[in-house]
Amino acid sequence: MPVHIIVAIKQVMDPEIPPSAFTIAENAKEVVSPSNIPPVINGYDEQAIEAALRIKETVEEATITVVSIGSNFSLDVMKKPLSMGADELILVDTGDIGNDPDSNIAAYLLTSAIRKIGSFDLILCGRQASDWDNAQVPVGVASMLKVPIITVGRKVEITAKNVRVERVLPNGYELVESNLPAVVTLSSELGEPRYPTLRGIMAATKKQPILWSLNDLSIDEDLPTSNLTINTITTPEKQNECTIIEGENGQEAGKNLALKLREAKLI
Amino acid sequence: MANCQNILVIGELTEGSLSSTTKELLTVGRNLADSLQEDLNVVLLGENLSQYTSDLLFFGTDTIYLAQHSLLEDYQDDLYVEAITQLAASTNPRSILLGKTLTGKELGPRLAFKLGTSLLQDCIHLAIDTNKNLVGKRPIYGGNALAEITHIGTPQLAIVRPKTIEVSVQEQKGKGNINEYVPELSDSMIQARTIEKVDEPVSGVRLEDARIVVSGGRGLGGPEPFRDLEDLASLLGGATGASRAACDAGWIPSSYQVGLTGKTITPDLYITVGISGASQHMAGCSGAKIIVSINKDSEANIFKDSAFGVVGDWKEVLPGFIDQIKSMTNAS
Ligand SMILES: Cc1cc2nc3c(=O)[nH]c(=O)nc-3n(C[C@H](O)[C@H](O)[C@H](O)COP(=O)(O)OP(=O)(O)OC[C@H]3O[C@@H](n4cnc5c(N)ncnc54)[C@H](O)[C@@H]3O)c2cc1C
């Protein structure tokens, strides 16, 4: 039996944009993506893709379906999983409702998309998205699909019936096991995701992402109501005076810094 | 069980006593309960819990629930969620508060979905509005922005970031009821089982407890310079830390990572070398009293949070700095 792995990914604003490019809408209720800096696939989600590809290398036959819910997709950015080696990519344009601050909504939409995809053995996600850092959608998906979830993994292995995950702990790791199907979230400790090879890029040009809209999800009246409302979004103010310690050369500056810290009784 | 409106704190024990995060939650919980004129309750889960009740009373708790069961001795997601769900069903809390701790991070989202409600994640401030709803302030986009959000569901769950609330012991005692209960649990409720735990111990002072921390980042360029930082840290009686970039590069284990997805530190003195000061890094060290930075880029963000800095190449600055500290520590 071929293994079917679904990887859920999210398009986010590049978390490395300079603070000066970070802007908030005039209504003070949303963050505006800068038009001159392309979005990225959430970093941990790339680790989830990498984990899926590593599993694919160890089993006889596996299919990897990558799915994303969101809006204003950048196809150039979102096609990356295909060039990394994923088999199929489904982008579900859910318009604005996918941006609700309540993770219940996104979890519900993603679950609906996964139900439409059909059967699966394993769902892999990033541990959290770098925009809202909620770390909730994967838990919601597991709960709605009534399957186990193991979070913050750095290594994932599957057998015929089980998944084994090394979960990152503050000073080490724990080995956790559950039945399949299951949801597993991945962390950066898994290691760098692979770069697409030229062959991968060539192969990906032949594959087109499958585009779905909200209508394709047969959303019914159980769409959860949002329990969270945004009052304001603001940028934190920083008012700090940094005293720059000088010296004739670097060595001297370092020495002067130590003297200054002693004078301030910090060391 | 009492069925009046209340705020429920999920308590945690660390090394045989009430965790500092639990004290923070009780402090903020008491304030919220006072503004609602409702009860502040707390639940502890485990075995042999009655020894902790006297500590809990200092924080003005009204009812202390002790969920005792042999299956709760070690933390396990599914069983803890089940035990708390049973308590919530019989006590109808208006709001449930958890800490953003190793266990709180797991429990919060699971509980929210199990209870059919939503979760205010990573709050650094909580208040009650005129409609008696919970309002949380939380960093988003790694700390680049701050969102104020109102919870209108029931119950209203919130996770609170540790070390953002000043603990205060209450003059006025709460009702001080103690309610021991045995949740209905069975081994078959466990969906994901821990097979083994592997400690990768760190030598020296614990990062989270250190009074002085010296951290290195991508600017160090490789693993070797971390030996210098470790020497410096031990000279100062402190601990070594790192940015995620340095950990991801494999220069130092990820247990050294400071930041949003690493450790939260609150030292008196935080020295950074070759760290740019990304908001996700600062999220883990904004509680440091004084930040001192060495970075070759005068425009680096880290200087916005630093009290003292040297603009220069660490390869030149650090030796001078370390030599001077050596001679001062030898002299004194
Ligand atoms: C969801 C998410 C979670 C994250 N969690 C964390 C986290 O927990 N902790 C964390 O640290 N990061 C985290 N990050 C990453 C964060 O955004 C930054 O990428 C990271 O902190 C950068 O590390 P750095 O400062 O070491 O590297 P860089 O940003 O590359 O900075 C290197 C600095 O070194 C300086 N430098 C270079 N050479 C020299 C020299 N010779 N002498 C002196 N200075 C020099 C440069 O001027 C530069 O300022 C997270 C990111 C995301 C998206």
Side-chain angles (χ1 to χ4, degrees):
Chain A
M1 275 282 281
V3 180
H4 187 201
I5 305 172
I6 295 177
V7 184
I9 67 170
K10 184 177 187 187
Q11 174 177 303
V12 292
M13 190 170 103
D14 188 344
E16 306 269 341
I17 67 160
S20 56
F22 191 89
T23 34
I24 289 165
E26 228 163 83
N27 66 6
K29 286 187 196 291
E30 57 193 334
V31 174
V32 188
S33 309
S35 53
N36 54 343
I37 303 171
V40 295
I41 295 174
N42 179 43
Y44 297 119
D45 302 349
E46 289 202 6
Q47 257 108 20
I49 301 165
E50 176 62 30
L53 293 167
R54 290 185 194 173
I55 292 171
K56 189 171 169 154
E57 286 159 2
T58 63
V59 298
E60 214 159 283
E61 202 189 339
T63 319
I64 301 173
T65 304
V66 178
V67 59
S68 182
I69 60 156
S71 54
N72 301 321
F73 286 116
S74 159
L75 289 188
D76 285 345
V77 170
M78 296 303 277
K79 276 185 79 175
K80 186 172 176 188
L82 292 176
S83 40
M84 287 170 77
D87 299 286
E88 193 179 42
L89 172 67
I90 301 170
L91 302 177
V92 193
D93 193 328
T94 52
D96 276 348
I97 68 165
N99 297 331
D100 197 281
D102 191 337
S103 301
N104 256 306
I105 311 286
Y108 178 86
L109 296 172
L110 185 55
T111 303
S112 308
I114 290 169
R115 288 205 170 109
K116 186 175 159 80
I117 292 169
S119 68
F120 60 89
D121 299 288
L122 186 63
I123 298 174
L124 301 179
C125 311
R127 62 179 282 184
Q128 65 198 60
S130 59
D131 45 10
W132 277 71
D133 293 307
N134 269 330
Q136 292 181 51
V137 170
V139 182
V141 169
S143 151
M144 291 172 195
L145 294 170
K146 300 196 168 54
V147 299
I149 175 161
I150 303 173
T151 59
V152 201
R154 66 174 199 187
K155 189 173 176 192
V156 191
E157 282 172 350
I158 58 169
T159 59
K161 285 208 178 90
N162 295 323
V163 58
R164 272 195 168 207
V165 180
E166 279 183 21
R167 271 196 86 225
V168 180
L169 294 179
N171 296 310
Y173 69 93
E174 66 180 326
L175 192 62
V176 184
E177 189 178 71
S178 84
N179 290 342
L180 290 175
V183 177
V184 176
T185 77
L186 280 307
S187 187
S188 48
E189 287 81 355
L190 176 100
E192 286 289 310
R194 68 195 61 193
Y195 286 105
T197 59
L198 198 59
R199 235 179 90 205
I201 295 169
M202 293 304 289
T205 53
K206 296 198 195 86
K207 295 181 203 159
Q208 283 309 316
I210 300 163
L211 303 176
W212 288 350
S213 72
L214 213 46
N215 293 335
D216 292 301
L217 297 189
S218 49
I219 303 282
D220 38 37
E221 55 279 6
D222 12 290
L223 178 72
T225 47
S226 174
N227 283 321
L228 303 178
T229 49
I230 296 176
N231 304 329
T232 55
I233 293 180
T234 49
T235 38
E237 273 174 42
K238 279 184 187 165
Q239 287 167 324
N240 193 45
E241 280 297 315
C242 181
T243 309
I244 298 294
I245 311 292
E246 316 269 355
E248 262 169 43
N249 52 35
Q251 283 266 356
E252 284 295 310
K255 183 178 163 193
N256 292 340
L257 177 64
L259 291 168
K260 187 81 195 177
L261 295 186
R262 172 52 68 92
E263 185 192 312
K265 297 199 166 58
L266 290 165
I267 53 174
Chain B
M1 290 188 188
N3 204 350
C4 60
Q5 288 279 22
N6 62 83
I7 304 239
L8 176 66
V9 165
I10 311 299
E12 280 185 54
L13 303 167
T14 44
E15 286 152 19
S17 58
L18 214 56
S19 78
S20 53
T21 309
T22 301
K23 294 175 187 167
E24 293 161 11
L25 291 176
L26 290 170
T27 302
V28 67
R30 186 67 261 173
N31 289 339
L32 299 177
D34 283 346
S35 55
L36 289 161
Q37 296 184 311
E38 291 176 3
D39 279 8
L40 170 68
N41 301 341
V42 59
V43 59
L44 290 181
L45 303 98
E47 278 201 298
N48 306 320
L49 298 170
S50 41
Q51 50 182 316
Y52 304 107
T53 49
S54 52
D55 272 358
L56 286 165
L57 293 174
F58 283 118
F59 297 93
T61 40
D62 291 306
T63 301
I64 299 169
Y65 294 100
L66 303 177
Q68 310 199 88
H69 197 293
S70 57
L71 283 173
L72 296 176
E73 191 182 347
D74 290 319
Y75 173 79
Q76 202 284 329
D77 299 325
D78 305 301
L79 296 171
Y80 271 53
V81 167
E82 185 56 41
I84 298 168
T85 305
Q86 289 174 15
L87 179 67
S90 60
T91 61
N92 283 322
R94 174 194 292 282
S95 173
I96 301 178
L97 308 182
L98 305 102
K100 198 184 173 202
T101 58
L102 192 59
T103 55
K105 277 190 276 195
E106 296 304 312
L107 273 177
R110 283 173 169 82
L111 260 183
F113 286 106
K114 177 97 182 193
L115 296 172
T117 181
S118 308
L119 172 69
L120 274 172
Q121 180 65 282
D122 203 11
C123 296
I124 57 171
H125 182 268
L126 286 176
I128 301 288
D129 72 5
T130 48
N131 300 319
K132 297 193 171 184
N133 285 322
L134 190 62
V135 182
K137 281 197 188 130
R138 58 158 306 195
I140 54 171
Y141 288 81
N144 276 307
L146 201 62
E148 190 197 89
I149 300 168
T150 303
H151 200 317
I152 53 171
T154 31
Q156 302 184 338
L157 263 67
I159 285 191
V160 179
R161 188 183 280 202
K163 300 180 187 171
T164 52
I165 285 145
E166 189 105 22
V167 169
S168 71
V169 168
Q170 297 293 316
E171 306 267 312
Q172 194 141 5
K173 290 257 175 336
K175 292 179 190 156
N177 305 321
I178 294 167
N179 191 323
E180 298 189 36
Y181 76 105
V182 182
E184 280 176 44
L185 300 174
S186 78
D187 191 71
S188 64
M189 292 168 175
I190 300 178
Q191 290 193 302
R193 211 173 278 276
T194 299
I195 313 284
E196 65 168 331
K197 270 194 181 150
V198 180
D199 253 343
E200 292 167 351
V202 202
S203 57
V205 189
R206 255 167 50 106
L207 199 46
E208 299 94 317
D209 304 333
R211 222 181 49 74
I212 298 181
V213 175
V214 185
S215 281
R218 178 150 38 209
L220 290 188
E224 300 81 22
F226 275 97
R227 302 294 89 74
D228 295 338
L229 294 196
E230 270 162 8
D231 290 347
L232 174 59
S234 69
L235 267 177
L236 298 170
T240 315
S243 73
R244 181 175 142 191
C247 297
D248 283 358
W251 300 341
I252 189 158
S254 61
S255 53
Y256 288 77
Q257 184 178 317
V258 171
L260 184 69
T261 49
K263 294 195 164 127
T264 303
I265 58 168
T266 49
D268 294 336
L269 176 62
Y270 185 43
I271 303 174
T272 78
V273 186
I275 291 182
S276 64
S279 56
Q280 293 91 350
H281 184 80
M282 302 321 291
C285 60
S286 56
K289 287 212 184 79
I290 298 277
I291 300 179
V292 172
S293 300
I294 300 173
N295 193 305
K296 68 174 183 189
D297 174 10
S298 66
E299 297 293 307
N301 216 38
I302 191 81
F303 290 124
K304 296 208 178 81
D305 292 290
S306 304
F308 300 104
V310 173
V311 179
D313 191 330
W314 64 266
K315 291 187 206 86
E316 292 162 19
V317 181
L318 201 57
F321 184 62
I322 294 178
D323 283 350
Q324 183 60 35
I325 286 175
K326 273 192 189 141
S327 68
M328 290 188 310
T329 38
N330 287 342
S332 59

